[in-house]
Amino acid sequence: FLMEVISMTLNEECVRDVLIYCKNNIDYRELQDGSFSLIPVTFKQLLASPLNQTYDSKDIMYTVMKLEEIGFIKISNRNPKTSPYINECLINEITYVGHKFIDATEPEPVWDKTKNIVGKVGNHTLEFVEGVAHDVAVEFAKVVAFKQG
């Protein structure tokens, strides 16, 4: 039989949406003794979320793997442990660098302009996307400050 080989590309739109979903859904519960318990986002939860109406399961899975690889998220209970794919995992936290990316790209007007610029340049590293989003946000802040001034 012929096996179809599909090249995977990292979709920065999916990266942003998975990070924002995790930001809004990872939580902590305070226990009666004053200690805390983590409420992680499960991989299956991501697949059952509205994200799966926009992205297919494979894109979400690949994004989670790459977000862990580049240190934007921390995961545990990965299954299978050492394969080039994930069937299950717990997303326990977004790291500082992951939060920096969210902070730079979360506002919709900033994200829309960032996508426009990045699309024209054709450079799609996440660092570049974050840098463009930061520059766009600075320009927006200047316009708002000028209008208020």
Side-chain angles (χ1 to χ4, degrees):
F1 75 101
L2 224 71
M3 198 163 130
E4 186 180 356
V5 177
I6 299 170
S7 74
M8 295 301 305
T9 56
L10 192 58
N11 177 338
E12 59 267 0
E13 190 99 32
C14 187
V15 165
R16 175 181 177 263
D17 289 346
V18 166
L19 284 170
I20 291 170
Y21 182 88
C22 290
K23 177 186 138 185
N24 293 334
N25 289 281
I26 294 173
D27 203 357
Y28 299 91
R29 178 181 315 131
E30 190 168 1
L31 305 176
Q32 289 181 333
D33 67 2
S35 64
F36 288 92
S37 170
L38 174 70
I39 304 169
V41 166
T42 68
F43 181 62
K44 298 227 185 294
Q45 186 180 345
L46 278 178
L47 296 182
S49 77
L51 292 175
N52 213 0
Q53 294 166 5
T54 307
Y55 312 104
D56 67 28
S57 300
K58 190 170 52 179
D59 280 336
I60 295 170
M61 182 265 302
Y62 189 74
T63 297
V64 168
M65 288 189 336
K66 293 301 159 192
L67 286 173
E68 181 199 26
E69 181 182 313
I70 62 176
F72 277 33
I73 60 172
K74 291 187 180 177
I75 70 172
S76 64
N77 296 36
R78 179 179 171 151
N79 183 13
K81 286 196 184 324
T82 57
S83 68
Y85 59 88
I86 294 175
N87 289 329
E88 305 178 11
C89 72
L90 301 176
I91 302 170
N92 298 315
E93 71 174 285
I94 300 169
T95 64
Y96 177 72
V97 289
H99 275 289
K100 278 180 51 185
F101 185 84
I102 295 170
D103 292 345
T105 63
E106 190 170 18
E108 283 301 328
V110 170
W111 181 240
D112 290 342
K113 187 158 186 183
T114 299
K115 285 190 304 187
N116 190 355
I117 293 168
V118 169
K120 288 177 183 165
V121 174
N123 181 336
H124 291 90
T125 69
L126 292 178
E127 294 83 1
F128 180 78
V129 172
E130 184 180 334
V132 170
H134 178 268
D135 293 347
V136 168
V138 168
E139 286 307 309
F140 271 156
K142 286 178 185 174
V143 168
V144 169
F146 181 74
K147 285 181 180 173
Q148 290 175 348

